[in-house]
Amino acid sequence: MSYVQFIIQNARWLLAGFLLCLTSSYGQTYFISIFAGEIRAEFGLSHTAWGWIYAAGTMASAATMVWAGTLTDRFRVRQLAPVVLIGLALASLSMSLVPSAVLLVGVIFALRLFGQGMSGHIAMVAMARWFHATRGRALSIATLGFAVGNAIYPMIFVALMAFFGWRELWVLAAGLAVLLIPVIKWLLRTERTPQSIAKSHASLGMNGVHWTRKDMFKHWLFWMVIPLVIGPPAWITAFFFQQVPLVEAKGWSLLEFVALFPIMTLGSVLNNVAAGVAVDRWGAGRLLPFMVMPFLIGFVIFGTSSSIMMAGLGITFLGIGMGSQGTIVSAFWAEHYGTQFIGSIKAAIMALSVFGSAIGPAVSGSLIDAGISLDAQLIGYAGYFGITAVLAYMGTTRARPLLPVAPKIDVVGT
């Protein structure tokens, strides 16, 4: 089956995953951080204070994800997604009304839980569960929503800030989340239940068994790859969270910087498609250690140059890394630990990723106030990716003989 035929035959379910990933933008750091200057000014917050407020709300959402993420093993997407979108809309509306810095923690918690956490989690679990032999392609198409959101929302909302206040723009975000609910319900008017898929079509993991979350935590491979997996959420989040002080330090305007995001999206889209095909052909385990190399290169470029042209090159590499991250990582857990309990497994991974995205901004903000430049921090991020790539390579190479023969039959929601 060609890529185009695959999209046409499965358009309904792929589009639902894409739209959920796209709408997660309202809870993503790259979106929230474009309002960082206004929020810090209104509430009189330092970089450290704002960073730790953001970290506290994000860590609380990570803890909640351990439980909330397991709901994907019990409820259909068309039942769960509207509840999550209502939560995201209410969180966005709360941001438009938040009266004090103390209450910001709760608002950030809700945005991160329903946006970054559950919206993307539902989409990724659905793609991993509904598709087997073409899982990589399905994940790559759905995760394009992340790339498109990263490209268009910051640029659009920064431009709108010339005409509207930052609180009014959060009302707009709330309205857009609500409008998606009937679209999702229509797209998924027919859908397999998680229970029927888990029992009848579950993919086996290593050693030909279905791994539970508890078993995964006891396994050595998990601990060898998790530092790499949480690296992009931690340090990419820190990068975008600090985009306002970054442009100030580099001498760029914020609009000039976010105008580069479509370049990032182009790199992301191209590598996203390639990653989906590569996962289906060679497996996620072989690709995982090399997934972070574009991040390493991108951060070195940003850390060593102040040219806006070089920034375009650096952000292209970041886009390439982001394009493969969601596809490869999501496929990796299904490939190595099976799909029967993929909802609870992915919930734990998402919680750790969200926790990483909380630590990144907090650490970065504290380092800025301690006098450590963003350039020095970016070089440090690059070093982290190099070390974790080596560790993951050792682990996935050792685990490869344990994998079962890949299934040849797909399951879609018909």
Side-chain angles (χ1 to χ4, degrees):
M1 183 188 300
S2 71
Y3 217 109
V4 174
Q5 288 176 317
F6 171 73
I7 293 173
I8 293 173
Q9 292 183 13
N10 299 280
R12 182 188 305 173
W13 302 281
L14 296 173
L15 181 57
F18 172 89
L19 290 173
L20 285 170
C21 292
L22 176 67
T23 305
S24 75
S25 295
Y26 309 132
Q28 300 282 4
T29 299
Y30 60 75
F31 183 81
I32 298 172
S33 64
I34 65 176
F35 305 100
E38 286 73 16
I39 293 172
R40 287 179 53 238
E42 180 153 339
F43 298 115
L45 300 172
S46 66
H47 289 293
T48 300
W50 169 230
W52 281 105
I53 285 172
Y54 195 81
T58 301
M59 284 189 282
S61 72
T64 306
M65 272 298 300
V66 176
W67 166 80
T70 64
L71 296 175
T72 54
D73 286 333
R74 299 168 53 194
F75 297 99
R76 299 183 182 194
V77 175
R78 74 168 179 266
Q79 296 170 326
L80 191 57
V83 176
V84 169
L85 291 171
I86 290 172
L88 181 56
L90 291 175
S92 300
L93 192 60
S94 298
M95 180 61 98
S96 74
L97 301 170
V98 63
S100 68
V102 173
L103 294 178
L104 268 175
V105 176
V107 174
I108 296 297
F109 160 76
L111 284 171
R112 301 292 273 164
L113 175 63
F114 293 109
Q116 182 207 22
M118 287 300 292
S119 294
H121 174 68
I122 291 172
M124 295 298 94
V125 169
M127 296 303 106
R129 178 172 276 142
W130 291 342
F131 300 91
H132 289 212
T134 53
R135 180 180 292 135
R137 275 176 278 184
L139 285 164
S140 70
I141 292 167
T143 55
L144 284 175
F146 295 131
V148 172
N150 204 334
I152 65 173
Y153 280 129
M155 190 165 55
I156 291 172
F157 277 77
V158 167
L160 289 175
M161 286 170 71
F163 306 98
F164 302 97
W166 69 274
R167 292 181 182 272
E168 295 172 298
L169 293 177
W170 278 103
V171 176
L172 174 61
L176 292 173
V178 170
L179 288 175
L180 183 60
I181 295 174
V183 177
I184 292 294
K185 291 182 73 69
W186 179 79
L187 288 172
L188 299 181
R189 59 191 182 274
T190 57
E191 178 197 353
R192 287 186 182 271
T193 64
Q195 294 91 336
S196 69
I197 293 173
K199 292 176 182 178
S200 303
H201 302 281
S203 297
L204 297 172
M206 291 179 291
N207 298 320
V209 300
H210 299 296
W211 291 73
T212 65
R213 183 163 69 184
K214 182 178 179 181
D215 292 333
M216 180 187 70
F217 283 148
K218 295 178 180 179
H219 193 248
W220 52 265
L221 179 61
F222 172 81
W223 297 105
M224 295 187 76
V225 301
I226 200 63
L228 179 143
V229 170
I230 65 175
W235 308 123
I236 293 294
T237 298
F239 175 79
F240 285 112
F241 185 80
Q242 303 297 356
Q243 60 185 295
V244 172
L246 175 69
V247 299
E248 292 173 352
K250 298 289 188 180
W252 310 325
S253 71
L254 182 59
L255 186 57
E256 189 178 29
F257 179 64
V258 300
L260 297 174
F261 286 11
I263 302 175
M264 177 175 61
T265 300
L266 178 61
S268 177
V269 169
L270 294 176
N271 201 40
N272 188 292
V273 174
V277 175
V279 165
D280 291 338
R281 182 170 182 179
W282 294 298
R286 293 180 184 271
L287 303 174
L288 186 71
F290 303 99
M291 177 193 76
V292 295
M293 290 299 104
F295 294 130
L296 187 156
I297 297 170
F299 280 138
V300 168
I301 292 173
F302 271 105
T304 57
S305 175
S306 296
S307 164
I308 193 66
M309 292 185 64
M310 290 300 293
L313 179 62
I315 211 160
T316 299
F317 275 103
L318 295 185
I320 291 171
M322 293 167 66
S324 61
Q325 175 196 349
T327 301
I328 294 174
V329 172
S330 295
F332 175 82
W333 303 112
E335 177 183 287
H336 285 72
Y337 294 100
T339 60
Q340 183 166 343
F341 304 104
I342 192 64
S344 62
I345 287 173
K346 280 284 291 158
I349 305 306
M350 178 61 73
L352 289 170
S353 297
V354 173
F355 180 78
S357 70
I359 293 299
V363 169
S364 181
S366 298
L367 291 175
I368 290 174
D369 286 341
I372 299 176
S373 70
L374 280 171
D375 284 346
Q377 293 185 40
L378 292 170
I379 297 300
Y381 303 164
Y384 176 94
F385 284 123
I387 293 170
T388 57
V390 172
L391 185 63
Y393 179 80
M394 294 168 60
T396 54
T397 300
R398 180 183 171 190
R400 197 168 300 141
L402 307 178
L403 292 172
V405 177
K408 300 299 182 184
I409 300 175
D410 272 329
V411 179
V412 296
T414 54

